[in-house]
Amino acid sequence: MNQIESKVNVKSPDFIENKKCYEKLMEEYRHRLKTILHGVDEKAKERHLKRGKLLVRDRIELLLDKNTPFLELSAMAAYNQYENQFPSAGIVTGIGVIHGRECIIVANDATVKGGTYIKETIKKHIRAQEIAMENHLPCIYMVDSGGVFLPEQSKVFPDKYDFGRFFFNQSKMSAKGIPQISIVMGSCTAGGAYVPAMSDETIIVKGQGTIFIGGPPLVKAATGEDVTAEELGGADMHTSVSGVADHLAEDDRHAVQICRNIFESMPKVRKYGPEREKVKAPAYSADELYGLAPIDLKKPVDARELIARIVDGSSFHEFKERYAPTIVTGFAKIMGFPVGIIANNGIIFSETSLKAAHFIELCSFRKIPLVFLQNITGFMVGKEYEHKGIARDGAKMVHAVANAQVPKFTVIVGGSFGAGNYAMAGRAYEPRLLFMWPNAKISVMGGEQAAGVLLQVKEDQLKKRGTEFLEEEQNQLKESILKKYEEEGSAYYSTSRLWDDGIIDPADTRKVLAMGIAASVNKEFGEPNFGVFRM
């Protein structure tokens, strides 16, 4: 492969200014993230520690192999919602390594409203299970939850992807042979009792773990029976009488060690996909991405410059380099893993779509994972392009993305607007992981375009009524639209609602993608299976 020769002058005023502006963005991002990670109520934290329990992220750190990374997902879920009373939506999920094996961890944070579930908690829990199923990863549930947050019950209980989906997914995962281990470290009540009951093996902590379908107050109300929580569903009872739990732990540390012992006894898994090669660092510093990342989305960024700071050795074998230059496609390696990269370099035309669809077919047949770097305003519009059949050609790209049977990974590095989001493997196209840089924007179109469209519609309506559209009214409407799109299009708005798997530091993009790819090779890649491409 040829090494990309960077054409960027890192000492130029434009580069230095962009880097300064981006470092300010990063300061804001780190501050917001810190308020989330340390946003727990101090009294709740103190009560938790007095009970002899470890904090949720300390439990996870103890569970994982030493000196291995933990890829936390959707750390800012529910951010700026519910008056920020649910940091990280009260649950920590992510990909980690136990005895050299990638796994998914779902851990309740009991210091956040007793570990209860709001809408975003449900989405986050289900998303973690989806990742486990897509990549055939073992799943560990660190249970310490009061179940549904009752004031929000109508939003979390009855629908297809609400609370009950946990147990449906557990059943499906079990049928696929995906190991599931529960560590009951606190309350496990009502429907939540099925999480350990449906796991392959369950560990329960003495004196603090409880499992019951109905707690003591409900039992008293329903049957008149007086019973303590420990008598009803404590660790001693469940490991010696009911058999609902399999292992008795003395405390959190002991429980974590038992879980690690269980993993040690599991058979080794076969890895799939292309063979991993020797890792080479990029020829350019990852910090230079701060000087390249598009803050002003109107300014073009050569996608090759981003790729050069992400891939091994900055080496890239470009496909169709001279054809359809508004998209860059080619082969590279990330931490030794072969990948096919599709990166926006401008707007999508008919030929852009055809080039991308062709490349996706190649990667599908060669069993090479796909990485999408999104910075897209959308498809080209206008009479000339409609006459040439851009809808038909765009459909080919969308079709290829939807049916590619290799793992897909998406990073939104700039804008993600309109149908461009779909064509570049947005959330609806089921990438294994989707992340955003702090500067990223996502909406049906840009604010300026939306304001232009809505102003025109309003003006046409008023003309039909014979009413004048005053300039002051136009300015007020435009300002309100721009403000709305600025807020709702931000990466923070997106990640709060779990439209992505988290906001990441651009300098960490290479590591994050490598962890995702490493997890994906635990499951065999599907065979190429495309339908009808309209010609």
Side-chain angles (χ1 to χ4, degrees):
M1 292 186 189
N2 297 322
Q3 181 178 307
I4 295 172
E5 187 178 336
S6 178
K7 296 179 174 63
V8 170
N9 179 4
V10 298
K11 294 182 180 178
S12 71
D14 283 351
F15 184 91
I16 291 168
E17 180 61 27
N18 200 87
K19 192 173 183 183
K20 280 183 181 176
C21 291
Y22 208 93
E23 283 169 346
K24 285 183 181 178
L25 271 184
M26 289 304 302
E27 281 179 26
E28 181 189 3
Y29 162 67
R30 292 183 185 116
H31 173 71
R32 293 190 189 201
L33 186 60
K34 188 177 178 180
T35 62
I36 291 293
L37 301 183
H38 302 286
V40 174
D41 178 78
E42 283 301 318
K43 288 183 180 178
K45 180 179 172 181
E46 194 177 319
R47 283 196 302 269
H48 187 85
L49 294 171
K50 276 185 177 177
R51 290 169 182 154
K53 295 182 175 186
L54 297 173
L55 297 173
V56 64
R57 289 179 177 86
D58 293 336
R59 288 169 170 173
I60 292 169
E61 186 178 354
L62 198 63
L63 178 64
L64 301 178
D65 292 351
K66 286 185 179 178
N67 301 316
T68 61
F70 176 61
L71 179 55
E72 184 168 342
L73 303 171
S74 300
M76 300 183 79
Y79 177 69
N80 271 350
Q81 298 187 73
Y82 311 98
E83 298 179 341
N84 283 320
Q85 292 181 30
F86 287 86
S88 294
I91 194 169
V92 179
T93 64
I95 301 172
V97 178
I98 302 175
H99 284 294
R101 184 171 181 165
E102 291 85 9
C103 61
I104 283 286
I105 296 168
V106 180
N108 299 115
D109 187 349
T111 65
V112 179
K113 303 289 185 181
T116 52
Y117 282 74
I118 54 173
K119 182 173 68 175
E120 287 72 21
T121 325
I122 302 273
K123 285 185 76 172
K124 196 168 170 179
H125 187 127
I126 290 172
R127 175 66 183 140
Q129 289 180 317
E130 285 174 352
I131 294 168
M133 287 188 275
E134 287 168 346
N135 299 286
H136 206 91
L137 300 180
C139 196
I140 298 105
Y141 305 99
M142 304 182 92
V143 189
D144 197 348
S145 169
V148 165
F149 183 62
L150 294 179
E152 295 282 313
Q153 68 86 24
S154 66
K155 298 176 183 176
V156 298
F157 171 66
D159 210 351
K160 181 177 180 179
Y161 291 102
D162 283 346
F163 202 86
R165 192 74 182 190
F166 299 169
F167 321 122
F168 177 88
N169 285 343
Q170 283 190 259
S171 302
K172 293 293 185 182
M173 290 162 72
S174 184
K176 291 177 181 178
I178 297 172
Q180 297 175 85
I181 311 298
S182 279
I183 312 176
V184 181
M185 306 171 114
S187 177
C188 197
T189 308
Y194 288 109
V195 173
M198 298 184 77
S199 296
D200 297 6
E201 294 188 55
T202 293
I203 305 151
I204 188 167
V205 179
K206 187 176 182 179
Q208 67 188 48
T210 56
I211 305 170
F212 32 62
I213 300 297
L218 183 59
V219 170
K220 175 69 173 176
T223 69
E225 182 182 9
D226 282 308
V227 62
T228 66
E230 194 64 29
E231 291 170 333
L232 188 63
D236 281 325
M237 188 282 289
H238 277 310
T239 51
S240 62
V241 179
S242 74
V244 169
D246 310 298
H247 307 277
L248 180 66
E250 293 299 320
D251 55 25
D252 281 5
R253 293 177 182 276
H254 186 208
V256 166
Q257 187 56 54
I258 293 170
C259 185
R260 288 187 55 81
N261 292 345
I262 291 169
F263 263 75
E264 195 173 16
S265 68
M266 289 181 186
K268 289 186 178 180
V269 278
R270 179 185 167 189
K271 301 291 184 177
Y272 298 91
E275 188 175 338
R276 189 179 183 187
E277 298 182 19
K278 187 178 178 181
V279 177
K280 293 180 182 177
Y284 307 98
S285 171
D287 288 348
E288 291 177 6
L289 289 169
Y290 299 152
L292 293 166
I295 297 173
D296 180 355
L297 299 181
K298 293 175 184 176
K299 291 184 179 179
V301 178
D302 186 349
R304 295 172 190 86
E305 298 289 351
L306 304 181
I307 294 167
R309 289 152 179 86
I310 293 171
V311 302
D312 288 13
S314 300
S315 298
F316 186 58
H317 177 55
E318 192 163 346
F319 175 73
K320 283 185 181 286
E321 180 181 355
R322 300 178 63 205
Y323 180 75
T326 62
I327 201 161
V328 174
T329 57
F331 300 96
K333 294 179 179 67
I334 294 177
M335 292 287 191
F337 292 105
V339 294
I341 296 177
I342 300 177
N344 299 118
N345 218 30
I347 204 161
I348 299 176
F349 295 89
S350 280
E351 58 269 29
T352 318
S353 303
L354 298 175
K355 174 178 170 178
H358 185 173
F359 184 71
I360 290 165
E361 283 188 301
L362 286 180
C363 290
S364 295
F365 278 95
R366 295 177 187 177
K367 303 290 181 70
I368 296 173
L370 283 160
V371 172
F372 293 81
L373 300 179
Q374 277 200 28
N375 182 22
I376 183 63
T377 54
F379 284 80
M380 190 63 191
V381 297
K383 181 179 175 181
E384 176 188 349
Y385 304 101
E386 297 296 352
H387 284 200
K388 286 181 179 178
I390 192 168
R392 175 196 61 224
D393 293 331
K396 291 183 179 71
M397 182 178 176
V398 170
H399 184 111
V401 171
N403 285 299
Q405 295 298 305
V406 293
K408 302 182 292 260
F409 301 89
T410 303
V411 184
I412 303 177
V413 302
S416 178
F417 300 114
N421 170 277
Y422 306 152
M424 288 294 293
R427 188 64 132 183
Y429 288 76
E430 299 186 347
R432 297 290 175 95
L433 294 169
L434 185 153
F435 294 100
M436 300 182 79
W437 286 0
N439 59 294
K441 302 286 184 186
I442 182 169
S443 53
V444 71
M445 62 179 69
E448 289 283 351
Q449 291 84 351
V453 170
L454 292 171
L455 282 167
Q456 186 64 55
V457 170
K458 183 72 173 175
E459 187 175 4
D460 291 346
Q461 287 174 344
L462 291 173
K463 269 185 183 178
K464 287 178 183 177
R465 297 176 196 163
T467 308
E468 187 181 354
F469 195 9
L470 299 175
E471 186 178 346
E472 186 181 344
E473 292 174 344
Q474 290 182 39
N475 292 336
Q476 285 177 352
L477 179 59
K478 183 177 181 179
E479 191 178 328
S480 67
I481 294 165
L482 289 173
K483 185 179 178 183
K484 178 181 176 68
Y485 270 72
E486 180 65 24
E487 179 192 346
E488 295 181 0
S490 80
Y492 297 106
Y493 192 93
S494 167
T495 207
S496 175
R497 289 151 183 82
L498 286 96
W499 297 347
D500 54 61
D501 293 308
I503 299 173
I504 61 170
D505 183 335
D508 289 337
T509 302
R510 171 178 161 80
K511 298 174 191 173
V512 168
L513 287 171
M515 285 195 72
I517 297 164
S520 76
V521 299
N522 286 281
K523 184 179 179 181
E524 189 171 7
F525 298 178
E527 294 299 320
N529 182 22
F530 297 99
V532 176
F533 286 85
R534 289 177 60 87
M535 298 300 176

